[in-house]
Structure formats: structure tokens, C-alpha cells
Amino acid sequence: DQQVKQNSPSLSVQEGRISILNCDYTNSMFDYFLWYKKYPAEGPTFLISISSIKDKNEDGRFTVFLNKSAKHLSLHIVPSQPGDSAVYFCAASEGGSWGKFQFGAGTQVVVTP
Amino acid sequence: NAGVTQTPKFRVLKTGQSMTLLCAQDMNHEYMYWYRQDPGMGLRLIHYSVGEGTTAKGEVPDGYNVSRLKKQNFLLGLESAAPSQTSVYFCASSYTTRGEQFFGPGTRLTVL
């Protein structure tokens, strides 16, 4: 049973606009969340994280928002650039789980000129 | 500084054959992980290790074995490959259990 879901398999956005990626989870014990970015034929690379004691974390063009009551997090990319075209995974873990993360299925983002 | 490397990059096996995938990291990380990625499924944890000489089962361990004889290496073995093990395999390592994981480039395995 998938505990982390990314319900949008793909997203197309124009260059310069905002990309919003969504992620829902079912396990209320999850308290740490990460976003990874993956290009074809490469491994995922870390993008940004957020712990459950915060509701927002920002790093340059990337902002992650966490709504614990709704068990929902989102990643905002502003402004979107062609190099942002990739698959984005959200991942969640609970304390004491030895680094075991549950990953969503990913969202393919395509940024068009 | 190579980060996380995986050998081989591609492999085709026949049902019943065995093979070992090698993962190596040069960041002195304690924690190492093996995942498989299948279409529409995201990454699923096969086995993981919290230090040299230790291994533990993840979410989908059946049909796989692992060993961590040296801190920098984490081996994933398939004793008798099955078509259901056709997948892309990623190795990862991390410094802490709560931090980012560093991933290798992946091994694409096809079992006929």
C-alpha cells in the first residue's frame, strides 16, 4: 500500500511561470520530507527538505510547503526554467526508521520555452 | 571524489541466472541502501545497511541478498533471477538517517 502519492504523473509549464508539484501521504507518523529531482539515465539528486516542525522551507527558486493536518506537501518552482525539466519525487520518513524513506511515483515536469 | 558508483550499468540475464550488483561510495557514509524503480511505482527499498557488517530488510527484500563487508561497498545479489526482477536498481548512501541520500547512476537489469 503506497503511503506517499503523487497523483499527477506529468506537468507542463511555460518557462518563467510557476510549477506546483503535489504530494499526499497517509502515515501520520511521517515527520521528515524530501524532494528529489531525476534526469534520464541518472540517479535522483536531493533538492530540498522539510521537517514537520516547519510549514515552509525555501531554497532559491524552490519552496516546499507542508500542511500536516491535510497530510499534504507541495513544491513550488519559481520561475521555472528549461533545466527544471525532470522527474520529481517526494519522499517521507518517520523518526527511528533508520533512513527508510517512502517515495512517491514521481511527477514528470516539462518546461516549454 | 566519485560519490556513489554502481557496476554494471546494464545487464541482461536469463531466468535462473545469478548476478551481483556492486555499489561503492567514497564519502565515508555509514548508511547505504538498495532501491528498485519500476514504472508508476517510485523507488522501493530492497535492503539497507546502517554500518559495516550490518544489513536489514526493506520493503521488497524477497529474491535478493546483500552484504556489507567493507564500509564503502554494498553488494546486492540475485541468486536465481526472475522476470519480475527486471527493473532499474539504484544504490544510495547517507551520512545520517535524516539527511539526504546520495544516489548512484543506476543499473538497468533485464531478466528474460
Side-chain angles (χ1 to χ4, degrees):
Chain A
D1 184 33
Q2 277 194 297
Q3 299 183 57
V4 178
K5 294 182 181 177
Q6 294 176 255
N7 291 318
S8 298
S10 64
L11 173 70
S12 182
V13 64
Q14 271 192 316
E15 183 178 359
R17 303 285 203 130
I18 183 171
S19 295
I20 299 176
L21 290 77
N22 295 305
C23 180
D24 296 294
Y25 60 96
T26 56
N27 186 345
S28 58
M29 300 299 291
F30 287 150
D31 62 356
Y32 190 64
F33 306 87
L34 293 87
W35 284 93
Y36 286 88
K37 176 179 179 178
K38 184 185 179 304
Y39 293 118
E42 294 183 10
T45 55
F46 170 74
L47 201 54
I48 193 168
S49 64
I50 189 166
S51 108
S52 60
I53 62 172
K54 292 186 171 183
D55 53 18
K56 176 183 173 182
N57 190 24
E58 207 168 343
D59 184 0
R61 296 186 297 114
F62 302 92
T63 303
V64 56
F65 296 91
L66 176 63
N67 182 333
K68 290 184 289 292
S69 60
K71 296 192 185 70
H72 176 84
L73 63 157
S74 62
L75 175 68
H76 292 208
I77 307 173
V78 185
S80 299
Q81 298 174 352
D84 296 330
S85 296
V87 177
Y88 291 79
F89 293 98
C90 67
S93 78
E94 56 182 284
S97 62
W98 294 107
K100 292 186 291 182
F101 281 86
Q102 293 275 339
F103 282 77
T107 297
Q108 171 77 59
V109 172
V110 176
V111 180
T112 57
Chain B
N1 190 340
V4 179
T5 58
Q6 292 184 233
T7 309
K9 287 187 167 47
F10 303 93
R11 186 73 187 268
V12 178
L13 289 178
K14 293 182 180 177
T15 297
Q17 288 184 317
S18 63
M19 78 163 293
T20 300
L21 283 68
L22 172 63
C23 175
Q25 53 96 2
D26 61 3
M27 295 172 283
N28 202 33
H29 287 168
E30 288 290 342
Y31 307 95
M32 296 189 74
Y33 311 87
W34 275 108
Y35 294 91
R36 59 178 289 174
Q37 184 192 10
D38 301 295
M41 299 286 291
L43 285 86
R44 291 182 294 167
L45 183 66
I46 305 171
H47 285 280
Y48 64 102
S49 169
V50 301
E52 181 179 318
T54 73
T55 62
K57 293 180 181 179
E59 186 185 349
V60 288
D62 294 341
Y64 305 95
N65 56 73
V66 286
S67 65
R68 183 118 180 252
L69 299 179
K70 292 183 179 179
K71 186 177 184 178
Q72 63 267 35
N73 296 337
F74 195 26
L75 279 64
L76 178 71
L78 286 75
E79 289 185 348
S80 179
S84 60
Q85 294 177 304
T86 293
S87 188
V88 180
Y89 291 84
F90 289 101
C91 175
S93 70
S94 66
Y95 182 65
T96 70
T97 57
R98 303 297 262 169
E100 63 176 289
Q101 294 181 7
F102 294 80
F103 284 82
T107 294
R108 184 173 292 276
L109 175 67
T110 302
V111 182
L112 302 176

